[in-house]
Amino acid sequence: MKASVEIRSAPHIKGPRSVEQIMANVVYSLLPICAFFVYQYGLSAAASILVVTAACLLTERAFVRTGTQAGSLSDFSATITGLLLALTLPPGFPLWMGAVAGISAIALGKALFGGIGFNVFNPALVGRAFVQAAFPAAIATYTPSFLPGRFTEFIPSSLAWPLMAPADTAAWLKAMQYDAMASASPLARWKFEGFVTPAWDLVTSLAGHMAVGPSPLLIVLCGAYLALRRFMDWRIPVAVLGSAGLSALIIYAAFGTKYPDPFFMLFSGGLVLGAVYMATDMATSPVTPRGMWLYGGLIGVLTVMIRYYSGLPEGVMYAILIGNAATPLIERVTQPTPFGKGASIHARKSASYTMHPDYISREEASAKTPKKRFLKNKPKKT
Amino acid sequence: MNDLSQAKTFDEFMEGIWRQNPVFVMVLGMCPVLAVSVSAVNALSMGLATMFVLVCSCGLVSLLRKLVPKEVRIATYIVIIATFVTVVDYVIQAVSLEIYDALGAFIQLIVVNCIILGRAEAHASKHPPIAAMVNALGMSIGFVIGLFALGAVREVLGAGTLFGVSLFGPNFQPWVVMVLPPGGFIVLGAWLLLFSALKRRQEARLAAPGGGHGA
Amino acid sequence: MSTPIAPTPPQATPATSLVKTLGLVSTVCGLIIVGAYQGTYDAAAANRRLALERTVFKVIPAAKSMAEWQATPQGIRPAGGETVPGALKFYVAYDAEGVLAGIAAEGAAKGYADTVRILYGYSPVCQCITGFGLVASKETPGIGDKIVTDKAFLANFEALDVKLNAELSALANEVKVVKQGTKTKAWEIDAIAGATVTSRAVGKAINDSAQLLLPKLAPDIGKLQKREP
């Protein structure tokens, strides 16, 4: 998406950074995480990533082709959506359902709003929310990681025929001598059985057969690369994790035995992945620094609330979607004070910009379009 | 008024089915459309119930149109519509309790369906009975088509059946979302997209040089 | 549709004429409604009875006919006549010979989405629950509605123990829903993994209703042995 004309007041700093570059870097940083995911779950995970991403790209192409959406395939945004979506789905999620998730992510989450930059909600999470609502049983079916035959054999549920129910993984696991406990995600085990997985096992994801996603440690490292290169704002993940940890700590301190420790809350489920990669989606998160803190804080608190007090074991997805919905409001209430206007001076109703009012964004309702200095069609000399 | 040509009558009839389709073009009566279109049978029976109410009340409104003073016309229409809704309510109970339970409050709520009051006010009160009923029939067929289109898609994806007949065998994976309220909105959105795309193409063809007679 | 309505000159309609019109319309409509009500009453009542019978017969497979009774603080008696406040309704089912086949009653408890209403069958011979059917539920399709399809779960209700204690005042053992695979006693119900909340609702509905109904039923069970002619 290369904008050719931009009307702004001086001074201008020409940055070399483009949307494509940012997106490409996000994709690079996601690659190690995907590799880890494949290492954990083998063939099924690889197929899932491929199918979901391909579905996203094809849908994006269809909408770009018909001209209903801005952007192009080469901006990598659909690739990111696909990779993230695949990482949030269980590795043994039937491939056809993965394709449905990819298609609905782009169609409902992105194309509906007009394409890249216009989406209100994170497309990957919209896709996940759709399949969560459509196939609640399949999306709650996890399998343990590091199974011995994972690189030669698919998880049977992956290969379900389109529109058909997936094969029973519980029976398959039983045949391999794993009990049903190992295939429940740590959050589900806590919610339904009161079993708290040790936090350190969750941080590395390497401690034996657990139904967990890629290591939170790795995700934080990859996110740190993005944040250090300023491709991502560090405030949002810090705010999300901080507020989730804090609210979990408060609840833990208040009613200790009933609730797990804050470290379990932080490293279980998709909180770290959501905080680092999904809450930070540029189009759907606030741009004001104070807004970022507020937005992250809201997501963190909501996540803990949903996990503790709802019927669902995991709440990151809905928390981020609610945060996305609140973003315009948050941006409105956290507009920074313009330079030169101290808190003592009340800003006038229509003048809250440092720039000349003629040059503020055209989307602003009260904005005036700059006066044209030149005639559009110069009268021809005759 | 009584010597309506056949072409005009046909046009009146088709108005509700295509040009002014209550579901896809006017987007009216969305409450029953979204709520009861979970299965094809429900959608069809809801559509037929509405059709009965619409045709009968439009006929009666049209018969009484010269008798009813302007001041009390809305009250009269509501009484008439409510009467036929009550009749339909009893009839459905007698025909099948299962359908009655599935449709629930939405049978009684036909009374506030804006298509019916709208037709009574905008058309039936100004036209003779036959014309009014033909127009009402067209409208309600349009409504039935809309409801059925939604109900069929939601039932096929949500349960793998159509009219209760299994389409994909016992191993079908139902899309739970389709029988829940969001499914209604998503499928309705998809149909609206398709319908407006079709309309746009038709208009483009008419606007193309040589396609139609003038702009 | 879009033709503007020409403004009509204000003309005062006399009030009597308005009243007359409304009266006429209401009379006509009233007649139509009464006609429809009379015409459909029998069929609708038959339908309702059939639907109830079908549910009762489903939970008590041996049943061939049934009667509606109510349990009042003063004892049990056939339903009909005036209803006593606090009376519990239950259905007595008889087999082909007119011998008591079982008793069905409704129970309700809060499920995952809304109240789950069930009808359960009780057999006085084994003093146990012999089956249950759903009356109304809004549980998540595909998860919560497994309670009527999951074979392992339904097996719990083949002979769920609801014996009364020695004083006949309450159940000897509360009906309890336990985690899947941990059922050891005859009065425990194995929950469905993943649909724990709905499973618990079924157990609670049965327990709550049986706790109230069975103590009242026990002393008078003899009255129900044979169908009254």
Side-chain angles (χ1 to χ4, degrees):
Chain A
M1 202 169 75
K2 285 194 178 85
S4 51
V5 181
E6 196 161 330
I7 306 169
R8 284 283 161 84
S9 67
H12 299 288
I13 300 173
K14 175 83 179 113
R17 199 158 277 180
S18 65
V19 172
E20 288 82 352
Q21 196 195 0
I22 299 175
M23 296 290 177
N25 270 283
V26 176
V27 172
Y28 300 150
S29 76
L30 273 171
L31 289 179
I33 302 174
C34 291
F36 191 92
F37 193 53
V38 173
Y39 170 60
Q40 277 177 302
Y41 294 102
L43 218 48
S44 281
S48 174
I49 291 174
L50 281 179
V51 168
V52 174
T53 312
C56 284
L57 288 172
L58 285 175
T59 317
E60 173 100 343
R61 185 183 162 79
F63 279 107
V64 170
R65 262 278 182 86
T66 52
T68 50
Q69 178 178 14
S72 76
L73 281 190
S74 60
D75 64 24
F76 285 111
S77 62
T79 317
I80 296 177
T81 301
L83 293 178
L84 282 176
L85 180 54
L87 287 174
T88 64
L89 296 172
F93 200 58
L95 295 176
W96 73 267
M97 293 182 192
V100 169
I103 293 168
S104 48
I106 298 293
L108 295 177
K110 199 168 169 196
L112 201 65
F113 298 100
I116 183 171
F118 295 104
N119 48 317
V120 177
F121 299 104
N122 185 321
L125 289 176
V126 172
R128 196 195 139 93
F130 182 83
V131 285
Q132 165 111 52
F135 315 114
I139 209 161
T141 311
Y142 277 85
T143 45
S145 56
F146 302 116
L147 293 175
R150 63 187 186 279
F151 291 116
T152 52
E153 185 189 11
F154 277 100
I155 298 167
S157 57
S158 285
L159 295 176
W161 286 101
L163 294 179
M164 293 301 151
D168 187 9
T169 46
W172 176 69
L173 287 172
K174 204 166 247 174
M176 292 171 63
Q177 310 293 323
Y178 291 103
D179 59 346
M181 294 303 113
S183 64
S185 70
L187 274 171
R189 290 183 75 181
W190 166 71
K191 185 122 196 165
F192 301 120
E193 291 153 34
F195 175 83
V196 177
T197 314
W200 182 247
D201 291 357
L202 292 171
V203 171
T204 58
S205 292
L206 286 168
H209 306 296
M210 286 195 306
V212 291
S215 156
L217 199 63
L218 182 68
I219 297 171
V220 168
L221 282 177
C222 292
Y225 159 77
L226 285 180
L228 284 176
R229 292 206 55 191
R230 298 282 188 275
F231 288 117
M232 180 187 90
D233 204 289
W234 56 274
R235 292 181 185 88
I236 294 175
V238 169
V240 173
L241 295 174
S243 80
L246 204 64
S247 36
L249 182 68
I250 291 169
I251 295 176
Y252 180 63
F255 326 92
T257 51
K258 225 176 130 194
Y259 295 105
D261 58 286
F263 291 108
F264 174 77
M265 271 293 118
L266 279 182
F267 298 120
S268 58
L271 184 61
V272 173
L273 184 70
V276 174
Y277 279 99
M278 298 195 207
T280 51
D281 181 358
M282 292 186 166
T284 61
S285 59
V287 289
T288 56
R290 273 193 303 149
M292 289 180 185
W293 289 111
L294 197 60
Y295 165 85
L298 176 74
I299 292 176
V301 171
L302 279 175
T303 302
V304 173
M305 292 300 134
I306 297 175
R307 281 182 179 179
Y308 282 179
Y309 302 111
S310 83
L312 293 168
E314 175 61 300
V316 176
M317 174 181 79
Y318 290 118
I320 296 180
L321 287 175
I322 294 171
N324 289 163
T327 294
L329 197 66
I330 292 174
E331 281 185 337
R332 246 176 101 155
V333 299
T334 57
Q335 282 295 333
T337 322
F339 179 71
K341 287 188 193 290
S344 57
I345 305 165
H346 284 290
R348 270 172 299 144
K349 217 182 220 169
S350 57
S352 57
Y353 296 89
T354 50
M355 300 175 232
H356 190 274
D358 277 2
Y359 289 107
I360 55 181
S361 156
R362 268 170 294 158
E363 278 106 333
E364 194 70 27
S366 58
K368 282 178 269 173
T369 8
K371 266 180 202 148
K372 287 199 180 74
R373 300 291 146 101
F374 305 102
L375 285 175
K376 206 174 185 183
N377 299 313
K378 277 186 185 168
K380 272 179 192 155
K381 280 169 199 162
T382 44
Chain B
M1 284 298 263
N2 273 332
D3 48 70
L4 282 170
S5 67
Q6 266 195 328
K8 182 123 189 258
T9 314
F10 184 71
D11 193 54
E12 291 263 311
F13 179 67
M14 287 306 288
E15 183 187 7
I17 296 179
W18 178 257
R19 208 153 28 81
Q20 293 284 341
N21 187 299
V23 177
F24 296 133
V25 180
M26 297 199 285
V27 200
L28 286 177
M30 284 302 103
C31 179
V33 165
L34 292 168
V36 303
S37 60
V38 173
S39 72
V41 174
N42 287 2
L44 216 52
S45 28
M46 184 69 201
L48 291 177
T50 312
M51 178 189 280
F52 173 79
V53 175
L54 187 56
V55 173
C56 291
S57 46
C58 278
L60 197 55
V61 164
S62 166
L63 272 177
L64 297 173
R65 71 186 188 284
K66 299 220 172 96
L67 216 74
V68 179
K70 257 202 149 9
E71 289 88 338
V72 290
R73 67 187 198 287
I74 299 288
T76 317
Y77 300 159
I78 290 289
V79 169
I80 292 173
I81 295 166
T83 304
F84 288 109
V85 170
T86 315
V87 170
V88 120
D89 187 90
Y90 289 144
V91 170
I92 293 184
Q93 277 185 57
V95 172
S96 163
L97 213 56
E98 274 159 36
I99 293 179
Y100 185 76
D101 286 339
L103 297 185
F106 291 98
I107 302 175
Q108 288 94 314
L109 285 178
I110 294 177
V111 80
V112 291
N113 191 324
C114 40
I115 301 169
I116 298 173
L117 191 59
R119 280 293 100 186
E121 165 77 6
H123 195 277
S125 61
K126 300 188 183 72
H127 291 83
I130 300 294
M133 285 169 82
V134 163
N135 181 274
L137 192 66
M139 269 293 157
S140 40
I141 289 176
F143 188 65
V144 171
I145 291 173
L147 262 171
F148 178 73
L150 245 76
V153 171
R154 290 181 71 183
E155 189 182 340
V156 166
L157 289 180
T161 60
L162 191 62
F163 290 113
V165 180
S166 173
L167 295 181
F168 302 103
N171 207 17
F172 178 75
Q173 167 71 48
W175 299 33
V176 178
V177 70
M178 286 300 161
V179 298
L180 298 175
F185 283 98
I186 291 171
V187 176
L188 178 67
W191 276 114
L192 288 178
L193 183 77
L194 190 72
F195 229 75
S196 53
L198 280 178
K199 281 212 118 170
R200 193 179 289 181
R201 257 173 91 177
Q202 198 185 21
E203 276 159 21
R205 208 181 307 132
L206 285 178
H213 303 286
Chain C
M1 285 295 288
S2 60
T3 43
I5 301 156
T8 44
Q11 47 184 38
T13 317
T16 48
S17 144
L18 298 182
V19 172
K20 253 190 250 162
T21 318
L22 278 180
L24 176 74
V25 171
S26 310
T27 316
V28 171
C29 291
L31 284 176
I32 297 177
I33 291 180
V34 170
Y37 183 72
Q38 290 295 339
T40 58
Y41 182 81
D42 292 336
N47 259 338
R48 222 167 285 132
R49 205 180 53 244
L50 266 178
L52 182 66
E53 273 182 5
R54 218 175 298 135
T55 333
V56 171
F57 292 177
K58 218 186 91 209
V59 297
I60 308 169
K64 284 284 173 297
S65 64
M66 55 166 276
E68 203 175 316
W69 284 61
Q70 53 185 0
T72 62
Q74 285 80 42
I76 59 169
R77 60 165 192 215
E82 87 281 25
T83 38
V84 186
L88 297 167
K89 222 194 300 177
F90 62 93
Y91 309 101
V92 185
Y94 300 99
D95 64 10
E97 280 86 52
V99 178
L100 182 65
I103 285 157
E106 247 188 55
K110 177 102 187 62
Y112 185 81
D114 199 358
T115 306
V116 179
R117 287 175 56 208
I118 58 160
L119 189 85
Y120 62 90
Y122 167 74
S123 160
V125 180
C126 71
Q127 297 202 14
C128 59
I129 304 288
T130 53
F132 82 96
L134 220 46
V135 179
S137 101
K138 288 189 183 134
E139 302 301 283
T140 322
I143 298 181
D145 67 358
K146 271 198 225 153
I147 51 168
V148 286
T149 52
D150 191 301
K151 290 211 172 62
F153 184 68
L154 291 178
N156 286 311
F157 301 93
E158 275 159 14
L160 182 71
D161 182 276
V162 283
K163 277 191 192 63
L164 290 173
N165 58 11
E167 302 88 57
L168 299 182
S169 63
L171 299 190
N173 304 290
E174 257 184 46
V175 173
K176 248 200 212 129
V177 179
V178 295
K179 225 183 293 167
Q180 186 174 39
T182 56
K183 168 171 172 153
T184 49
K185 315 262 171 38
W187 54 83
E188 286 177 345
I189 300 172
D190 252 343
I192 302 175
T196 325
V197 181
T198 315
S199 309
R200 265 193 220 130
V202 173
K204 187 166 180 308
I206 290 180
N207 183 55
D208 291 357
S209 166
Q211 294 277 21
L212 282 178
L213 177 68
L214 296 188
K216 292 195 182 117
L217 201 57
D220 293 330
I221 198 83
K223 277 197 209 167
L224 303 171
Q225 282 312 329
K226 276 275 179 194
R227 185 170 54 181
E228 287 170 20

